[in-house]
Amino acid sequence: MSDVLLAVDDLRTYFATEEGVVRAVDGVSFTINRGERRGVVGESGSGKSVTAMSIMGLIEPPAGQIVTGAIDFDGLNLLELPEDEMRKVRGGRIAMIFQDPMTSLNPVYTIGQQLIETIVLHQNVSKSAAREIAAQSLADVQIPYPASRLDDFPHQFSGGMRQRVMIAMGLSCNPELLIADEPTTALDVTTQAQILDLMLALADDRGTSVLLITHDLGVVAGFCDTVQVMYAGGIVESGSASDIFYDPKHPYSWGLLGSMTRLDAAQMHRLNSVRGAPPSVINLPEGCRFRPRCDFALDVCRERLPLLGPSDVEGHTVACHRAAELDLKLVTSEGAPR
Amino acid sequence: MFAYIVRRLVYGVITLFVLSALVFMLVQFGGGSPLDRLRLNPRMVNVIQKLTVKYGLDLPLYQQYFKWLSGFVSVDRFVVLGASAWIGFGSVVAATAGLFFTKVKATWFRPARAFGVVAIWVSFFWFAKSRVDFAMDWGDSFRGDGPVWDLVFGAAGATFRLGVTALSLALIIGLPLGVFQAVRQYSFFDQVGTLGSFIAFSTPIFIVATGLQVVLAFYLERWTGLKLFFVVGMTQVGYGDLGRLAQMGDIFRHLALPALSIALISIAGYARFQRAAMLEVLHSDYLRTAKSKGLPRRTVLVKHALRNALLPIVTIVTLDVAGIIGGAIITESIFGWPGVGRLYIGAINAVDYPVIMAIVMVIGMGIVFMNIVADILYGVLDPRVRYE
Amino acid sequence: MSNGASGIDESIDAAEGISAEPVTQWDLFRTRLARHKQARIAAIFLALLFAIVFVAPFVTCAERDAYCGKLLEHPATQLRDPENGLLLVQNPPSTTRPFGTDDIGRDVLSRVIHGGRASLTVGLTTGLLVATVGTIVGALAGYYPGAVDQVLMRIVDVILGLPLLPVAIVFGSLVPQIPVLPAFLKEGAWVIAFLLGILLWGGLARIVRAEFLSLREKEFVEAARAAGSNDRRIIFRHILPNAMSPIIVATTLVVGTAIIIEAALSFLGFGVRPPTPTWGGMSAAGARVATKGFWWEFLASSSALVATVLAVNFMGDGLRDALDPTQTIERK
């Protein structure tokens, strides 16, 4: 398709630590179309956030370094953009919302000051006009009395309200891509759905693509068009939300699904868990990175790293040597063949 | 906030009460009678008798203490020279009250108000100093140097000059040092700075002071013939005859070494603290937000990071005033600086208890006052703080 | 990883192989402390200092003016030239007297070594006093909120409100002259150590109280309480071990402060009185002659003092890094 907004190609972001090199993102490639809602799922440490920070250009050398790869955003190679050009993209064309709204706003400035700062930076408007826009964006995220609340400090807002402010700040400049890094993890269950609904509706209004990072499969199922599953710094499976939900091809995705409570399941089933712990990204196992935890591993899995390749379903890719032969739909969680 | 300040003031008064009783008892038990020295002379019996009655030294201890205390809190003289003082006083009070009670919603107003109040009070004291003759009844020095109030406030100017210079030096050098170290964390500059401030932090003031004296005054002159710095007193003999520029140079050459001696440990302390505070802010989530908004690095560092990292420093600096006073005591006695510190050491050696008591109390009051100032400043600068 | 095993065994093997070895807090503490280069050097320095100060009396002439041929002269002995009987006044450093002699002909090396005794006595005694009093008061205040807390913390407020150096000077100058005090409390370093102990415990008490306030609400304390532990057991077995890190770090800082204040008091003449050698007192005497060109006594005594305080502070820094349980091993 021609309306590809973001294309990430073979991104590798490494961190130097005392214990060795952490290969946080190790060969990730994907594309996002305009208006697409993409979900990124994976355990902590799977490289989801580092991917997002790499796109934003917020990896700080010398500790963190993007070793290879290309990030193409609407024809701009973000990795080679000069810093002042990159600043126009960052916050203006790509906005990001972070996990913890309690600590993501500067405590010593009012909400208004922080919103107006962003607006003045990216739009050619006066301070008073920026204040109007700021009030409007607070109204958009359904904060009551937006005009007067502009003069309040972050500590005068609840967690959910602060995340609304963050969303307002992110969307105030009508970005083309909104990266939301676990935006609801720190919130009450009751407000999670509200906030997500609001955020995605606003993004739809503006035609903004969304990259939604989460470890919550339910969120992805409910809100995303497409999903990519990440494990130990790489993408193991990618496809439409329904494909991955109803026809997972990778044992890890299958395991994740099995560990989730589902209200739509036809009958009661036992909750499963993916056994073992995620590998340390310093000493990645040879071959398939999921192999030590995999119920279906063969010798070939020990030898070669499987690459993300097409499956029998159009647009559904998977990185597993046994993807073609395994039919995980038929495997119940209790009777895994060994 | 008001109730909080009142509560802090009450605790402060209790502290001062304990302090005065403690020092008073100590001087009584350990110091012996201040008239002991006179006793060596047999012809002095009558004089001793008179002085004993005059100072109430024959009274029971607790009566002596309350005699001292009632004198300490009572006004000895309060003469207003001319009606203009009253007008000035009235307008200052009015302006201050106006500043305190106005409700302005704008965010710049809080710091501006604090600054305004401080400025008005400072100018008030400046004004009052020239137009009002005021003294408390702090007794007379046993050494016959006159009223204690006049002694202490005669020396206070010198200590003030030294202390303010040292504090300014510490702020001007220490804070930027810490900020740059944090921004360039793990760089060569940072490592040298960290090691340097560690060493400076571990070096007692008296070693810095004598070291500077020996190296920058004595050996510098011996090896190069240059006499850059003076090591005794505030001004040289014949200061009054010098031209204006030469006077300033003379003040600098006297002030530089003692001020630097006091400042060095504070420079190291502020740099260490500012580095830590800045690093914490640099790793904070809201700084990541600021960066993700596309703000220029300078704006991120100055507007978002520094503004937050300076908050805890306010407390540290106001509390360091006690340290600077302590440093002044040592430095003044090394550099023969005619300030409160040297007066204090002299009074201790002579067991001149009215002077000892007065200076200890002045310093104690200064510390109580600075503690409260620190709290108020913090409340003004940090919107999250609300004192119940 | 194992080669011959098959099936489940193998995969479990492999799964364990990739997860990190279990690391105890003690292991972490040791690696971190060992990695802190300055702390390592500081520890060696302090150990040497202790050894030297401890051994010194055995290699020193017992009486002044008695030439016994031991390694060190008595610190009060005035040395004379064996040929003409003149006092060896202000001799610069030489091979026989590596630190030279002072203004009345005493061996500076011997005096520096014996001067360390006062600093170490004050540092350790004050540290011990502060750790004990501060911990007990802080623990009581933090564990029993309400009246106990209020009373104790008001006392702490008063202690912390005292201007440290002026009060220490009055104390140091006048306490030894109070007639009713027992003799050991009036002499030398001990009186300073006790005075500083009284003046310095407030800060630690506040730290311990804050630790206790937060720890007493933790689940493991709840669990211990539910299991029927009494207050004493909870305080000493459950909370105190978890509060040890800040106590140790704060105590180290107090030791450094105490050494500095003792030296400052002795420098001003209100601490340990001459002829007992102290680094502060020697610095004062050395400073008087240093402005005449005789620099060695000042340099020797002040270097010893700075090096010791620096070592103590480096130890504190290393311990802080090593003891912080929330800190993982991070990039350097």
PDB file of all heavy atoms in Angstrom, chain B residues 57-82:
ATOM      1  N   LEU B  57      25.948  38.477  91.292  1.00  0.00           N
ATOM      2  CA  LEU B  57      26.638  37.195  91.354  1.00  0.00           C
ATOM      3  C   LEU B  57      26.437  36.479  92.680  1.00  0.00           C
ATOM      4  O   LEU B  57      26.806  35.327  92.845  1.00  0.00           O
ATOM      5  CB  LEU B  57      28.131  37.394  91.101  1.00  0.00           C
ATOM      6  CG  LEU B  57      28.463  37.936  89.703  1.00  0.00           C
ATOM      7  CD1 LEU B  57      29.953  38.205  89.594  1.00  0.00           C
ATOM      8  CD2 LEU B  57      28.005  36.972  88.639  1.00  0.00           C
ATOM      9  N   ASP B  58      25.869  37.213  93.677  1.00  0.00           N
ATOM     10  CA  ASP B  58      25.643  36.568  94.972  1.00  0.00           C
ATOM     11  C   ASP B  58      24.272  35.907  95.031  1.00  0.00           C
ATOM     12  O   ASP B  58      23.948  35.212  95.981  1.00  0.00           O
ATOM     13  CB  ASP B  58      25.784  37.592  96.086  1.00  0.00           C
ATOM     14  CG  ASP B  58      24.928  38.831  95.834  1.00  0.00           C
ATOM     15  OD1 ASP B  58      24.448  38.977  94.676  1.00  0.00           O
ATOM     16  OD2 ASP B  58      24.750  39.628  96.766  1.00  0.00           O
ATOM     17  N   LEU B  59      23.479  36.109  94.009  1.00  0.00           N
ATOM     18  CA  LEU B  59      22.134  35.535  94.013  1.00  0.00           C
ATOM     19  C   LEU B  59      22.190  34.039  93.712  1.00  0.00           C
ATOM     20  O   LEU B  59      23.174  33.549  93.164  1.00  0.00           O
ATOM     21  CB  LEU B  59      21.267  36.222  92.941  1.00  0.00           C
ATOM     22  CG  LEU B  59      21.016  37.716  93.136  1.00  0.00           C
ATOM     23  CD1 LEU B  59      20.324  38.287  91.911  1.00  0.00           C
ATOM     24  CD2 LEU B  59      20.194  37.950  94.395  1.00  0.00           C
ATOM     25  N   PRO B  60      21.104  33.295  94.085  1.00  0.00           N
ATOM     26  CA  PRO B  60      21.041  31.891  93.677  1.00  0.00           C
ATOM     27  C   PRO B  60      21.071  31.793  92.145  1.00  0.00           C
ATOM     28  O   PRO B  60      20.663  32.718  91.436  1.00  0.00           O
ATOM     29  CB  PRO B  60      19.701  31.400  94.212  1.00  0.00           C
ATOM     30  CG  PRO B  60      19.251  32.424  95.191  1.00  0.00           C
ATOM     31  CD  PRO B  60      19.949  33.696  94.863  1.00  0.00           C
ATOM     32  N   LEU B  61      21.497  30.623  91.658  1.00  0.00           N
ATOM     33  CA  LEU B  61      21.735  30.450  90.233  1.00  0.00           C
ATOM     34  C   LEU B  61      20.503  30.745  89.392  1.00  0.00           C
ATOM     35  O   LEU B  61      20.554  31.456  88.396  1.00  0.00           O
ATOM     36  CB  LEU B  61      22.213  29.018  89.992  1.00  0.00           C
ATOM     37  CG  LEU B  61      22.991  28.817  88.704  1.00  0.00           C
ATOM     38  CD1 LEU B  61      24.189  29.743  88.666  1.00  0.00           C
ATOM     39  CD2 LEU B  61      23.415  27.371  88.581  1.00  0.00           C
ATOM     40  N   TYR B  62      19.350  30.163  89.813  1.00  0.00           N
ATOM     41  CA  TYR B  62      18.164  30.341  88.971  1.00  0.00           C
ATOM     42  C   TYR B  62      17.750  31.804  88.909  1.00  0.00           C
ATOM     43  O   TYR B  62      17.285  32.299  87.881  1.00  0.00           O
ATOM     44  CB  TYR B  62      17.010  29.453  89.456  1.00  0.00           C
ATOM     45  CG  TYR B  62      16.353  29.905  90.729  1.00  0.00           C
ATOM     46  CD1 TYR B  62      15.211  30.706  90.680  1.00  0.00           C
ATOM     47  CD2 TYR B  62      16.838  29.534  91.974  1.00  0.00           C
ATOM     48  CE1 TYR B  62      14.592  31.139  91.841  1.00  0.00           C
ATOM     49  CE2 TYR B  62      16.249  29.956  93.138  1.00  0.00           C
ATOM     50  CZ  TYR B  62      15.123  30.760  93.067  1.00  0.00           C
ATOM     51  OH  TYR B  62      14.520  31.187  94.207  1.00  0.00           O
ATOM     52  N   GLN B  63      18.002  32.543  90.002  1.00  0.00           N
ATOM     53  CA  GLN B  63      17.674  33.977  89.959  1.00  0.00           C
ATOM     54  C   GLN B  63      18.588  34.728  89.013  1.00  0.00           C
ATOM     55  O   GLN B  63      18.171  35.620  88.286  1.00  0.00           O
ATOM     56  CB  GLN B  63      17.765  34.575  91.359  1.00  0.00           C
ATOM     57  CG  GLN B  63      16.562  34.200  92.196  1.00  0.00           C
ATOM     58  CD  GLN B  63      16.531  34.961  93.519  1.00  0.00           C
ATOM     59  OE1 GLN B  63      17.153  36.000  93.666  1.00  0.00           O
ATOM     60  NE2 GLN B  63      15.803  34.420  94.485  1.00  0.00           N
ATOM     61  N   GLN B  64      19.854  34.322  89.035  1.00  0.00           N
ATOM     62  CA  GLN B  64      20.784  34.941  88.091  1.00  0.00           C
ATOM     63  C   GLN B  64      20.333  34.693  86.660  1.00  0.00           C
ATOM     64  O   GLN B  64      20.383  35.565  85.809  1.00  0.00           O
ATOM     65  CB  GLN B  64      22.189  34.349  88.279  1.00  0.00           C
ATOM     66  CG  GLN B  64      22.919  34.893  89.487  1.00  0.00           C
ATOM     67  CD  GLN B  64      24.380  34.479  89.449  1.00  0.00           C
ATOM     68  OE1 GLN B  64      25.015  34.537  88.410  1.00  0.00           O
ATOM     69  NE2 GLN B  64      24.886  34.048  90.595  1.00  0.00           N
ATOM     70  N   TYR B  65      19.897  33.431  86.422  1.00  0.00           N
ATOM     71  CA  TYR B  65      19.477  33.079  85.066  1.00  0.00           C
ATOM     72  C   TYR B  65      18.287  33.926  84.644  1.00  0.00           C
ATOM     73  O   TYR B  65      18.280  34.498  83.553  1.00  0.00           O
ATOM     74  CB  TYR B  65      19.122  31.587  84.983  1.00  0.00           C
ATOM     75  CG  TYR B  65      18.557  31.196  83.626  1.00  0.00           C
ATOM     76  CD1 TYR B  65      19.364  31.180  82.498  1.00  0.00           C
ATOM     77  CD2 TYR B  65      17.208  30.886  83.486  1.00  0.00           C
ATOM     78  CE1 TYR B  65      18.845  30.841  81.259  1.00  0.00           C
ATOM     79  CE2 TYR B  65      16.690  30.551  82.258  1.00  0.00           C
ATOM     80  CZ  TYR B  65      17.505  30.526  81.145  1.00  0.00           C
ATOM     81  OH  TYR B  65      16.985  30.208  79.935  1.00  0.00           O
ATOM     82  N   PHE B  66      17.298  34.052  85.531  1.00  0.00           N
ATOM     83  CA  PHE B  66      16.103  34.814  85.145  1.00  0.00           C
ATOM     84  C   PHE B  66      16.415  36.306  85.040  1.00  0.00           C
ATOM     85  O   PHE B  66      15.795  37.006  84.248  1.00  0.00           O
ATOM     86  CB  PHE B  66      14.938  34.524  86.090  1.00  0.00           C
ATOM     87  CG  PHE B  66      14.323  33.187  85.806  1.00  0.00           C
ATOM     88  CD1 PHE B  66      14.436  32.135  86.700  1.00  0.00           C
ATOM     89  CD2 PHE B  66      13.651  32.968  84.598  1.00  0.00           C
ATOM     90  CE1 PHE B  66      13.886  30.898  86.401  1.00  0.00           C
ATOM     91  CE2 PHE B  66      13.101  31.734  84.312  1.00  0.00           C
ATOM     92  CZ  PHE B  66      13.224  30.698  85.213  1.00  0.00           C
ATOM     93  N   LYS B  67      17.393  36.728  85.841  1.00  0.00           N
ATOM     94  CA  LYS B  67      17.818  38.124  85.724  1.00  0.00           C
ATOM     95  C   LYS B  67      18.391  38.357  84.326  1.00  0.00           C
ATOM     96  O   LYS B  67      18.063  39.319  83.629  1.00  0.00           O
ATOM     97  CB  LYS B  67      18.877  38.425  86.792  1.00  0.00           C
ATOM     98  CG  LYS B  67      19.298  39.888  86.866  1.00  0.00           C
ATOM     99  CD  LYS B  67      20.063  40.135  88.173  1.00  0.00           C
ATOM    100  CE  LYS B  67      20.512  41.573  88.301  1.00  0.00           C
ATOM    101  NZ  LYS B  67      21.754  41.842  87.608  1.00  0.00           N
ATOM    102  N   TRP B  68      19.242  37.396  83.911  1.00  0.00           N
ATOM    103  CA  TRP B  68      19.825  37.521  82.579  1.00  0.00           C
ATOM    104  C   TRP B  68      18.721  37.461  81.511  1.00  0.00           C
ATOM    105  O   TRP B  68      18.679  38.268  80.590  1.00  0.00           O
ATOM    106  CB  TRP B  68      20.833  36.394  82.336  1.00  0.00           C
ATOM    107  CG  TRP B  68      21.249  36.333  80.886  1.00  0.00           C
ATOM    108  CD1 TRP B  68      22.226  37.079  80.300  1.00  0.00           C
ATOM    109  CD2 TRP B  68      20.661  35.549  79.870  1.00  0.00           C
ATOM    110  NE1 TRP B  68      22.289  36.795  78.973  1.00  0.00           N
ATOM    111  CE2 TRP B  68      21.333  35.854  78.667  1.00  0.00           C
ATOM    112  CE3 TRP B  68      19.630  34.609  79.839  1.00  0.00           C
ATOM    113  CZ2 TRP B  68      21.012  35.261  77.457  1.00  0.00           C
ATOM    114  CZ3 TRP B  68      19.300  34.007  78.637  1.00  0.00           C
ATOM    115  CH2 TRP B  68      19.985  34.342  77.465  1.00  0.00           C
ATOM    116  N   LEU B  69      17.809  36.509  81.695  1.00  0.00           N
ATOM    117  CA  LEU B  69      16.774  36.280  80.672  1.00  0.00           C
ATOM    118  C   LEU B  69      15.885  37.510  80.529  1.00  0.00           C
ATOM    119  O   LEU B  69      15.583  37.945  79.412  1.00  0.00           O
ATOM    120  CB  LEU B  69      15.937  35.058  81.052  1.00  0.00           C
ATOM    121  CG  LEU B  69      14.954  34.581  79.993  1.00  0.00           C
ATOM    122  CD1 LEU B  69      15.714  34.097  78.759  1.00  0.00           C
ATOM    123  CD2 LEU B  69      14.080  33.462  80.541  1.00  0.00           C
ATOM    124  N   SER B  70      15.481  38.094  81.682  1.00  0.00           N
ATOM    125  CA  SER B  70      14.577  39.245  81.584  1.00  0.00           C
ATOM    126  C   SER B  70      15.297  40.412  80.930  1.00  0.00           C
ATOM    127  O   SER B  70      14.707  41.170  80.154  1.00  0.00           O
ATOM    128  CB  SER B  70      14.051  39.631  82.970  1.00  0.00           C
ATOM    129  OG  SER B  70      15.126  40.045  83.778  1.00  0.00           O
ATOM    130  N   GLY B  71      16.592  40.538  81.197  1.00  0.00           N
ATOM    131  CA  GLY B  71      17.355  41.573  80.505  1.00  0.00           C
ATOM    132  C   GLY B  71      17.439  41.298  79.025  1.00  0.00           C
ATOM    133  O   GLY B  71      17.259  42.183  78.194  1.00  0.00           O
ATOM    134  N   PHE B  72      17.666  40.019  78.683  1.00  0.00           N
ATOM    135  CA  PHE B  72      17.889  39.645  77.289  1.00  0.00           C
ATOM    136  C   PHE B  72      16.701  39.987  76.403  1.00  0.00           C
ATOM    137  O   PHE B  72      16.865  40.365  75.255  1.00  0.00           O
ATOM    138  CB  PHE B  72      18.196  38.144  77.208  1.00  0.00           C
ATOM    139  CG  PHE B  72      18.641  37.714  75.843  1.00  0.00           C
ATOM    140  CD1 PHE B  72      19.956  37.888  75.433  1.00  0.00           C
ATOM    141  CD2 PHE B  72      17.757  37.138  74.952  1.00  0.00           C
ATOM    142  CE1 PHE B  72      20.373  37.508  74.174  1.00  0.00           C
ATOM    143  CE2 PHE B  72      18.161  36.757  73.684  1.00  0.00           C
ATOM    144  CZ  PHE B  72      19.479  36.949  73.299  1.00  0.00           C
ATOM    145  N   VAL B  73      15.486  39.849  76.976  1.00  0.00           N
ATOM    146  CA  VAL B  73      14.313  40.088  76.135  1.00  0.00           C
ATOM    147  C   VAL B  73      13.768  41.508  76.294  1.00  0.00           C
ATOM    148  O   VAL B  73      12.750  41.840  75.706  1.00  0.00           O
ATOM    149  CB  VAL B  73      13.186  39.073  76.446  1.00  0.00           C
ATOM    150  CG1 VAL B  73      13.652  37.668  76.097  1.00  0.00           C
ATOM    151  CG2 VAL B  73      12.768  39.160  77.895  1.00  0.00           C
ATOM    152  N   SER B  74      14.411  42.333  77.111  1.00  0.00           N
ATOM    153  CA  SER B  74      13.845  43.670  77.269  1.00  0.00           C
ATOM    154  C   SER B  74      14.660  44.702  76.494  1.00  0.00           C
ATOM    155  O   SER B  74      15.866  44.559  76.297  1.00  0.00           O
ATOM    156  CB  SER B  74      13.762  44.052  78.753  1.00  0.00           C
ATOM    157  OG  SER B  74      15.022  43.903  79.336  1.00  0.00           O
ATOM    158  N   VAL B  75      13.934  45.743  76.092  1.00  0.00           N
ATOM    159  CA  VAL B  75      14.547  46.778  75.259  1.00  0.00           C
ATOM    160  C   VAL B  75      15.306  47.760  76.143  1.00  0.00           C
ATOM    161  O   VAL B  75      14.794  48.217  77.163  1.00  0.00           O
ATOM    162  CB  VAL B  75      13.460  47.505  74.445  1.00  0.00           C
ATOM    163  CG1 VAL B  75      14.066  48.647  73.657  1.00  0.00           C
ATOM    164  CG2 VAL B  75      12.760  46.525  73.525  1.00  0.00           C
ATOM    165  N   ASP B  76      16.541  48.035  75.758  1.00  0.00           N
ATOM    166  CA  ASP B  76      17.362  48.962  76.523  1.00  0.00           C
ATOM    167  C   ASP B  76      17.105  50.399  76.064  1.00  0.00           C
ATOM    168  O   ASP B  76      16.820  51.279  76.854  1.00  0.00           O
ATOM    169  CB  ASP B  76      18.829  48.601  76.337  1.00  0.00           C
ATOM    170  CG  ASP B  76      19.723  49.440  77.226  1.00  0.00           C
ATOM    171  OD1 ASP B  76      19.273  49.777  78.337  1.00  0.00           O
ATOM    172  OD2 ASP B  76      20.839  49.764  76.814  1.00  0.00           O
ATOM    173  N   ARG B  77      17.206  50.596  74.764  1.00  0.00           N
ATOM    174  CA  ARG B  77      16.895  51.931  74.253  1.00  0.00           C
ATOM    175  C   ARG B  77      16.276  51.794  72.870  1.00  0.00           C
ATOM    176  O   ARG B  77      16.614  50.905  72.084  1.00  0.00           O
ATOM    177  CB  ARG B  77      18.142  52.797  74.227  1.00  0.00           C
ATOM    178  CG  ARG B  77      19.292  52.203  73.446  1.00  0.00           C
ATOM    179  CD  ARG B  77      20.490  53.137  73.471  1.00  0.00           C
ATOM    180  NE  ARG B  77      21.411  52.763  72.423  1.00  0.00           N
ATOM    181  CZ  ARG B  77      22.380  51.850  72.572  1.00  0.00           C
ATOM    182  NH1 ARG B  77      22.537  51.231  73.715  1.00  0.00           N
ATOM    183  NH2 ARG B  77      23.178  51.559  71.563  1.00  0.00           N
ATOM    184  N   PHE B  78      15.324  52.691  72.594  1.00  0.00           N
ATOM    185  CA  PHE B  78      14.652  52.694  71.314  1.00  0.00           C
ATOM    186  C   PHE B  78      14.344  54.143  70.993  1.00  0.00           C
ATOM    187  O   PHE B  78      13.372  54.714  71.457  1.00  0.00           O
ATOM    188  CB  PHE B  78      13.358  51.861  71.377  1.00  0.00           C
ATOM    189  CG  PHE B  78      12.623  51.811  70.076  1.00  0.00           C
ATOM    190  CD1 PHE B  78      13.222  51.291  68.930  1.00  0.00           C
ATOM    191  CD2 PHE B  78      11.326  52.276  69.982  1.00  0.00           C
ATOM    192  CE1 PHE B  78      12.542  51.235  67.733  1.00  0.00           C
ATOM    193  CE2 PHE B  78      10.630  52.224  68.782  1.00  0.00           C
ATOM    194  CZ  PHE B  78      11.248  51.703  67.657  1.00  0.00           C
ATOM    195  N   VAL B  79      15.214  54.769  70.258  1.00  0.00           N
ATOM    196  CA  VAL B  79      15.069  56.186  69.945  1.00  0.00           C
ATOM    197  C   VAL B  79      14.884  56.327  68.452  1.00  0.00           C
ATOM    198  O   VAL B  79      15.661  55.815  67.657  1.00  0.00           O
ATOM    199  CB  VAL B  79      16.321  56.981  70.379  1.00  0.00           C
ATOM    200  CG1 VAL B  79      16.052  58.471  70.245  1.00  0.00           C
ATOM    201  CG2 VAL B  79      16.709  56.611  71.797  1.00  0.00           C
ATOM    202  N   VAL B  80      13.775  57.003  68.075  1.00  0.00           N
ATOM    203  CA  VAL B  80      13.545  57.250  66.660  1.00  0.00           C
ATOM    204  C   VAL B  80      14.024  58.651  66.349  1.00  0.00           C
ATOM    205  O   VAL B  80      13.631  59.613  67.003  1.00  0.00           O
ATOM    206  CB  VAL B  80      12.063  57.092  66.313  1.00  0.00           C
ATOM    207  CG1 VAL B  80      11.845  57.378  64.837  1.00  0.00           C
ATOM    208  CG2 VAL B  80      11.596  55.718  66.680  1.00  0.00           C
ATOM    209  N   LEU B  81      14.889  58.773  65.406  1.00  0.00           N
ATOM    210  CA  LEU B  81      15.455  60.064  65.060  1.00  0.00           C
ATOM    211  C   LEU B  81      14.638  60.680  63.939  1.00  0.00           C
ATOM    212  O   LEU B  81      14.838  60.362  62.775  1.00  0.00           O
ATOM    213  CB  LEU B  81      16.914  59.905  64.630  1.00  0.00           C
ATOM    214  CG  LEU B  81      17.780  59.051  65.565  1.00  0.00           C
ATOM    215  CD1 LEU B  81      19.098  58.692  64.921  1.00  0.00           C
ATOM    216  CD2 LEU B  81      18.008  59.772  66.877  1.00  0.00           C
ATOM    217  N   GLY B  82      13.659  61.497  64.296  1.00  0.00           N
ATOM    218  CA  GLY B  82      12.899  62.200  63.275  1.00  0.00           C
ATOM    219  C   GLY B  82      11.641  61.465  62.866  1.00  0.00           C
ATOM    220  O   GLY B  82      11.556  60.232  62.945  1.00  0.00           O
TER     221      GLY B  82
END
